[in-house]
Amino acid sequence: MLLLGVWSWSAPAAHGAALKITFNVNNEVLKFPVNAAPFAKGNTVLVPIRKVGKALGLEVNYIKEQKVLQLSRNGQQITMKLGANEAILNGKDKFVIEEKAVLQGNLIYVPISLLNAMGLVVSYDSALAQVTVYTPQVFAEKVTGLLASNQYEMLWQQFLNESSQKAITVAKLQQVWQGITDTFGEYLKIDSVSSHQVNHELTIASTAIFTKGNLIVTITTDSSGEIKGLWFAPAAAAATQSNAPELKLPDGVTEEEVVVGAGTSHPLKGLLTLPNDTTHPLASVVLVQGSGASDRDETVFAYKPFRDIAYGLAKQGIAVLRYDKRNYSYPEQFMGAAAPTISVKDETVEDAIAASKLLKADKRMDPAQVYLVGHSLGGMLAPRIDADGGNFAGLILLAGSPRSLLEIIYEQNMASIQNLSNTDPRKAQTVAAIDTEHSKGKALTAMTLEQSKAAPSIFGVPAYYFKEMDMHPTGELARKLTKPVLVLQGADDFQVYPDKDFPQWKDVLKGNPAASFKLYPGLNHFFVNDEGKDAGTAAGYNKPGMVDAQVITDMGQWILNL
C-alpha cells in the first residue's frame, strides 16, 4: 500500500520548479490531481508511481518497514530503497538513478528513468514540459503508422535521435518505405512484438503485415527514448507462422528429439529424422539454414524446406539432423548492446560443428559418412564450417554463393529498384543511398576487427558481422576443397543469381574433380516451382509450395553413390 499516513503537501518550491508537466501514455494524456502531479527536478521528472504504474501495467509494491519499493512488469523487477541513488534489476544488476525516489505527502515519486529500465520507451521534452511513454507494441505501431501515412518528416523530427538524423534524411526514409511497399504491397498492421533491453538501450522487433508479405521491423531506442536504429528485413529471414502444406511423417521413417550443443550455454532443440531400419551404419546430413532467425524447418512464408528435405532423404535411407538456429532460440543474445559484436561464428558456425559431432557420436551413424547440406547463407558458410572443425565427408551447397555477403546484398538492393523508371527521382536517390552503404562496406578493408565494432551499420547489418565474415572468404576456402561437393541452383532464383553465382562456383571448384553441379529450370531460391503472377518476387513466396522432389532425389543419390 502507498497510503502511509495523513496526507500533506509541500510547496512547489520543494520540487525545484513550479512547471506543470504533461504526461502522455500511449498517445493519451494521463490526468493527475493538482496535489499529485509529476514535477521536474534537474534534467528529469518524478512521477507518482501508483497512478503511472496502473496506466502502464506495472505492479507496484511498497514494503513500509524496510522503505523498499518494488516494480514489476513482464518478468522484469526493479527493487530500490527510498532515498537511495541506485536500484537493482531482477535481483542482481545494480544501476545508478539520476534522482532518488522520494516520499511526498502520502505518495511515492520515482524518476522516469525507472520506467525506461522496465522496458518502456520514455522521453522528456523539457522545453515543452512533456513526458511521453510508450509500451513496445504501441511504439512499433506508432513508428510504422507514421511511415504508412507518409508522415516521414514527423517521424524524423520527433522520434529519431541526432545521430540517426545525420545518418538518414527524410527523403531516404521515404525512399526506403516506398521501396518496401512497391515489393510487399499495402501496410496492414503490426502482428507481434518482442522487446529486449540492455543498458538502457531498448530493442523492439515487430512483424509488420502487408498485403503481399511480411516484414520484420526492428527499432532500437537510446536512454532518452529516441530512435537510434531502424531496420527492415523480409520475414523470410525469421521463422514465422506459415501456411506451408501439411506433410505427414512418411511410412518407414521415424523422428527423435535431440539437443545440439548439450551442456553449453546455448543448447538447441532439434529433430533427427531417420529410417526405421538402422541395422547398419547410416549416412547422415546436417542441415544449415540461411540468414536470419530460423526454426529447424527453415520456415519462410509458405515453405518448410528443411522438413521437406528431411523427410525425402530419410525415405532414401539417410538420417537428417535439423535444429533451431541460435538467434531463433536465444534472440536476446543478438539484440541491443550485443548486436554490434555478433558474427556468423556465433550465429551458425559453432552450432553446425556441434551438430556434426552429435551425429558422429551416434552409434547408428557411419562417422565417415556425415555430410553438410547448407542453404543460402548456410551454403556460403559450408566451406568454413567444414574447415573449422566440421570435417564432413562432403558438402551440398543449395543456392549459396562464393562471393562476399556485402556484394550480394548490394546487388540485391540494386535489383530491387530496377523496375522504377529512370525518370522517377526516387531511383537516382535510392541508387545514391545504396552506393553510400556499399562504400561504407568497402571501407571495412582498412579497419581492424576491433575497429569494425564501433563502425556504423551497413545495409542495417552491424559492420563487425561483415568484417568477421570477410576474414574467412568462401571462395578461398572452397578452392582448397578436395572432398566431394555438389552445387545445386534454381534457375529462377532472384536472390542468388544463376547467371553469376552458379558459374563462379564452377570457377572456384574447377580444380576439384569431386565437384559436380546442377541447375534446375523453373525453381526459385528455395527450390520450389515458381509460377503465377508473383513469380520472381518475394510475394511469390506466399504461395504454398514444397521443395521439388527431383532435387531431394538427386541429393540422396549423390550421397549414396559416393
Side-chain angles (χ1 to χ4, degrees):
M1 295 292 291
L2 291 181
L3 299 177
L4 305 175
V6 179
W7 173 79
S8 63
W9 179 250
S10 299
H15 301 161
L19 200 60
K20 182 179 179 181
I21 304 293
T22 303
F23 196 93
N24 294 293
V25 175
N26 288 337
N27 299 314
E28 294 186 7
V29 176
L30 188 61
K31 298 185 181 300
F32 298 87
V34 67
N35 54 7
F39 61 86
K41 186 175 183 182
N43 294 320
T44 190
V45 172
L46 280 81
V47 295
I49 189 56
R50 172 67 74 180
K51 184 172 181 65
V52 169
K54 183 177 180 180
L56 291 167
L58 299 178
E59 181 180 339
V60 180
N61 182 41
Y62 180 65
I63 305 172
K64 181 179 178 181
E65 295 77 13
Q66 302 173 23
K67 295 186 178 179
V68 169
L69 177 68
Q70 294 177 332
L71 307 178
S72 302
R73 178 183 178 273
N74 291 348
Q76 294 272 85
Q77 185 182 73
I78 289 178
T79 304
M80 63 181 302
K81 281 193 173 184
L82 267 62
N85 284 113
E86 67 177 20
I88 301 175
L89 179 63
N90 297 330
K92 57 180 181 178
D93 299 323
K94 292 184 179 181
F95 63 96
V96 176
I97 53 177
E98 71 274 41
E99 291 292 342
K100 303 172 183 177
V102 297
L103 179 63
Q104 193 75 27
N106 66 337
L107 301 174
I108 293 177
Y109 285 75
V110 303
I112 56 174
S113 61
L114 289 183
L115 303 180
N116 173 271
M118 294 300 293
L120 299 163
V121 183
V122 184
S123 61
Y124 172 49
D125 188 325
S126 57
L128 297 176
Q130 180 172 291
V131 176
T132 303
V133 184
Y134 289 100
T135 56
Q137 173 86 31
V138 176
F139 192 71
E141 292 171 346
K142 179 70 174 181
V143 171
T144 314
L146 289 173
L147 290 167
S149 59
N150 303 321
Q151 297 183 72
Y152 312 107
E153 178 75 33
M154 179 181 293
L155 176 60
W156 188 89
Q157 195 72 252
Q158 296 185 14
F159 289 87
L160 270 61
N161 68 10
E162 185 176 353
S163 62
S164 294
Q165 288 177 339
K166 291 178 179 178
I168 186 170
T169 63
V170 174
K172 187 174 179 181
L173 270 178
Q174 181 176 0
Q175 293 157 14
V176 169
W177 186 255
Q178 290 180 343
I180 287 169
T181 55
D182 285 345
T183 300
F184 292 89
E186 181 184 358
Y187 166 71
L188 299 176
K189 65 176 182 176
I190 292 294
D191 183 47
S192 60
V193 176
S194 62
S195 62
H196 179 69
Q197 186 159 15
V198 178
N199 296 330
H200 299 289
E201 182 179 282
L202 180 66
T203 299
I204 302 169
S206 62
T207 302
I209 309 299
F210 294 77
T211 54
K212 295 182 180 180
N214 303 339
L215 275 182
I216 300 300
V217 181
T218 304
I219 307 166
T220 302
T221 63
D222 58 22
S223 59
S224 298
E226 297 180 319
I227 295 174
K228 64 175 294 185
L230 179 60
W231 300 278
F232 304 92
T240 59
Q241 288 188 343
S242 170
N243 60 335
E246 293 293 329
L247 194 60
K248 293 183 178 180
L249 191 68
D251 292 337
V253 172
T254 188
E255 283 192 325
E256 301 173 1
E257 293 188 0
V258 297
V259 177
V260 174
T264 69
S265 60
H266 46 266
L268 303 173
K269 295 179 180 179
L271 283 175
L272 178 60
T273 308
L274 66 167
N276 289 336
D277 180 12
T278 57
T279 56
H280 61 281
L282 299 172
S284 60
V285 302
V286 172
L287 299 183
V288 181
Q289 302 98 321
S291 59
S294 177
D295 67 5
R296 66 197 68 179
D297 291 332
E298 201 187 34
T299 303
V300 286
F301 289 102
Y303 305 154
K304 289 182 176 290
F306 278 12
R307 176 205 61 183
D308 301 345
I309 292 171
Y311 288 2
L313 290 181
K315 285 195 297 183
Q316 297 180 66
I318 300 167
V320 181
L321 174 58
R322 65 197 198 273
Y323 53 92
D324 299 332
K325 279 183 72 174
R326 193 186 301 188
N327 53 358
Y328 175 86
S329 299
Y330 303 95
E332 69 280 358
Q333 296 182 11
F334 293 80
M335 300 170 69
T341 58
I342 291 298
S343 69
V344 289
K345 180 179 180 181
D346 309 306
E347 181 188 70
T348 301
V349 175
E350 291 179 340
D351 299 320
I353 293 171
S356 169
K357 293 178 178 178
L358 179 65
L359 287 177
K360 291 176 182 178
D362 191 320
K363 299 301 183 182
R364 297 167 295 179
M365 310 301 161
D366 182 348
Q369 291 290 301
V370 178
Y371 297 84
L372 182 152
V373 176
H375 176 241
S376 195
L377 181 66
M380 292 177 65
L381 293 174
R384 176 178 175 182
I385 295 167
D386 182 65
D388 283 3
N391 298 319
F392 294 93
L395 309 177
I396 299 180
L397 314 180
L398 303 176
S401 173
R403 295 186 294 139
S404 74
L405 182 62
L406 176 67
E407 293 303 316
I408 293 171
I409 294 178
Y410 171 72
E411 290 200 0
Q412 288 176 342
N413 275 271
M414 283 297 192
S416 70
I417 62 170
Q418 291 311 304
N419 290 333
L420 291 176
S421 169
N422 289 332
T423 60
D424 189 333
R426 290 181 298 164
K427 187 168 187 177
Q429 293 168 341
T430 305
V431 166
I434 294 172
D435 283 338
T436 297
E437 294 299 299
H438 192 220
S439 296
K440 285 162 56 179
K442 290 191 290 186
L444 288 174
T445 57
M447 295 184 191
T448 65
L449 190 61
E450 192 64 28
Q451 287 171 335
S452 70
K453 294 179 181 179
S457 61
I458 303 159
F459 293 114
V461 178
Y464 177 82
Y465 190 92
F466 284 110
K467 179 67 176 179
E468 195 276 343
M469 191 173 176
D470 286 346
M471 293 175 69
H472 305 268
T474 299
E476 290 184 18
L477 291 169
R479 288 183 196 279
K480 299 176 183 178
L481 291 170
T482 57
K483 63 184 59 180
V485 179
L486 176 63
V487 179
L488 305 182
Q489 175 82 48
D492 286 1
D493 191 338
F494 64 89
Q495 293 181 246
V496 175
Y497 305 121
D499 60 346
K500 178 172 290 188
D501 297 288
F502 190 66
Q504 284 201 27
W505 275 124
K506 291 184 176 181
D507 179 66
V508 165
L509 295 167
K510 62 186 178 183
N512 183 356
S516 53
F517 311 84
K518 188 165 184 179
L519 187 66
Y520 295 87
L523 301 188
N524 63 18
H525 187 62
F526 296 93
F527 294 87
V528 175
N529 189 270
D530 193 24
E531 296 178 330
K533 65 181 181 67
D534 291 322
T537 71
Y541 295 157
N542 282 314
K543 180 182 177 182
M546 294 172 57
V547 175
D548 186 83
Q550 186 61 52
V551 175
I552 301 175
T553 297
D554 291 344
M555 293 166 58
Q557 291 304 303
W558 181 82
I559 291 172
L560 295 173
N561 290 332
L562 288 175

